[in-house]
Amino acid sequence: MPMERDSAEKCGGNHDLMECSGSVPKAQKRKPEKVVHPYSRKAAYLAREEIRLEKKDRQKNEKATRLNSTGEKLLWFQGQLDPTKTVYTRKDACDVIERYLQRFDSELEQIELVNGIKGRQGRLHGARESVIKQTIERERAEYESNGFEIPDIINSKHLKTFREWTGDLKKLPNIKLRKVSKKGLDTKTKEEENKEAGEEEAIGDDDDDDDEDCLEDDAALMSDSD
């Protein structure tokens, strides 16, 4: 009996008897991760999956950038709306487009002013200046040929919807777009302009969904990313 008590004391009492007896379970060893052979089918699958995910992320970022750019453009046009107008003619729309094409004029003047300082070596803001000029050249070419895309302010129904837009990118599919060209504008009389506006408004009511597929896809992307 004294010997049993002595061994219990050495083990720190009855509570530690299991530890002294060596019955504590050993930690399980983790199995080393299996190395994927670089020429195996699994390695080929993983490589394809990585490429697919990278492509998906790239497309997602490109669509988000395009959607933001469209939103900024529409907000600019919304800020140009005359609150007293209930309808715009094609000529009115062309006047707004002309102002849009001149939106960088003050910035270009500032760049020219900075670079015109006597004694300055090298041209500052050259990259920015080049991007602006290329953008304006492309937009004007569209405007003077097949047409420049703007919110449909010629159709009174679409104009009302556009006025009520709050800038929410997810609501972009509700904004109807149309292409407006400068071609033939100078040869039309006011009467022809009004007649054309009435005809196009009637057509627009029948074709509300023609130009919205791209915006719907991009807005859906924004919803999925939330």
Side-chain angles (χ1 to χ4, degrees), residues 3 28 62 134 149:
M3 291 180 64
Q28 294 182 351
E62 289 173 354
Q134 289 175 10
E149 194 170 56

Side-chain angles (χ1 to χ4, degrees), residues 132-148:
I132 290 175
K133 289 183 176 180
Q134 289 175 10
T135 299
I136 297 303
E137 183 179 351
R138 184 188 71 251
E139 292 175 344
R140 183 163 290 281
E142 293 174 0
Y143 173 51
E144 294 179 352
S145 56
N146 295 328
F148 185 68

Side-chain angles (χ1 to χ4, degrees), residues 121-225:
Q121 295 181 351
R123 189 163 186 83
L124 296 178
H125 311 295
R128 171 64 177 168
E129 183 181 28
S130 178
V131 168
I132 290 175
K133 289 183 176 180
Q134 289 175 10
T135 299
I136 297 303
E137 183 179 351
R138 184 188 71 251
E139 292 175 344
R140 183 163 290 281
E142 293 174 0
Y143 173 51
E144 294 179 352
S145 56
N146 295 328
F148 185 68
E149 194 170 56
I150 65 170
D152 187 0
I153 59 177
I154 295 176
N155 181 291
S156 59
K157 175 185 172 183
H158 299 166
L159 172 61
K160 182 176 182 295
T161 302
F162 181 50
R163 285 187 190 277
E164 295 170 352
W165 180 55
T166 61
D168 186 354
L169 296 181
K170 294 177 183 177
K171 302 295 184 182
L172 276 183
N174 297 333
I175 308 301
K176 307 304 176 183
L177 306 176
R178 75 181 301 146
K179 288 186 177 181
V180 178
S181 174
K182 185 181 180 181
K183 284 195 303 185
L185 181 65
D186 297 336
T187 62
K188 290 190 177 180
T189 64
K190 186 68 175 179
E191 183 179 349
E192 289 174 328
E193 275 290 310
N194 292 335
K195 182 180 178 182
E196 183 184 77
E199 291 173 351
E200 289 178 338
E201 182 162 340
I203 294 172
D205 289 337
D206 294 333
D207 299 330
D208 279 354
D209 301 324
D210 284 352
D211 299 322
E212 302 310 315
D213 291 343
C214 182
L215 286 179
E216 285 177 357
D217 292 342
D218 292 349
L221 170 73
M222 295 293 289
S223 299
D224 295 341
S225 64

Side-chain angles (χ1 to χ4, degrees), residues 32-149:
E33 294 184 3
K34 190 175 180 180
V35 178
V36 179
H37 192 280
Y39 298 109
S40 66
R41 283 181 295 177
K42 185 173 182 180
Y45 166 77
L46 292 175
R48 290 195 304 271
E49 185 67 9
E50 184 177 358
I51 293 173
R52 185 185 70 82
L53 292 176
E54 289 178 354
K55 181 179 179 181
K56 184 178 179 181
D57 287 341
R58 184 172 64 253
Q59 291 175 338
K60 184 176 179 180
N61 291 333
E62 289 173 354
K63 287 182 177 179
T65 300
R66 185 168 64 248
L67 198 64
N68 287 328
S69 178
T70 301
E72 291 177 2
K73 175 181 175 181
L74 296 189
L75 283 172
W76 186 95
F77 275 91
Q78 192 182 59
Q80 299 296 311
L81 293 178
D82 184 344
T84 64
K85 275 184 174 291
T86 57
V87 66
Y88 280 74
T89 65
R90 182 165 162 239
K91 184 179 184 307
D92 294 333
C94 286
D95 290 340
V96 180
I97 293 175
E98 288 288 354
R99 293 201 297 272
Y100 184 75
L101 296 178
Q102 296 169 8
R103 68 193 184 279
F104 293 118
D105 283 3
S106 60
E107 184 175 352
L108 290 175
E109 288 175 3
Q110 289 296 321
I111 293 175
E112 194 63 35
L113 186 64
V114 169
N115 286 295
I117 297 176
K118 188 176 181 180
R120 180 175 295 281
Q121 295 181 351
R123 189 163 186 83
L124 296 178
H125 311 295
R128 171 64 177 168
E129 183 181 28
S130 178
V131 168
I132 290 175
K133 289 183 176 180
Q134 289 175 10
T135 299
I136 297 303
E137 183 179 351
R138 184 188 71 251
E139 292 175 344
R140 183 163 290 281
E142 293 174 0
Y143 173 51
E144 294 179 352
S145 56
N146 295 328
F148 185 68
E149 194 170 56

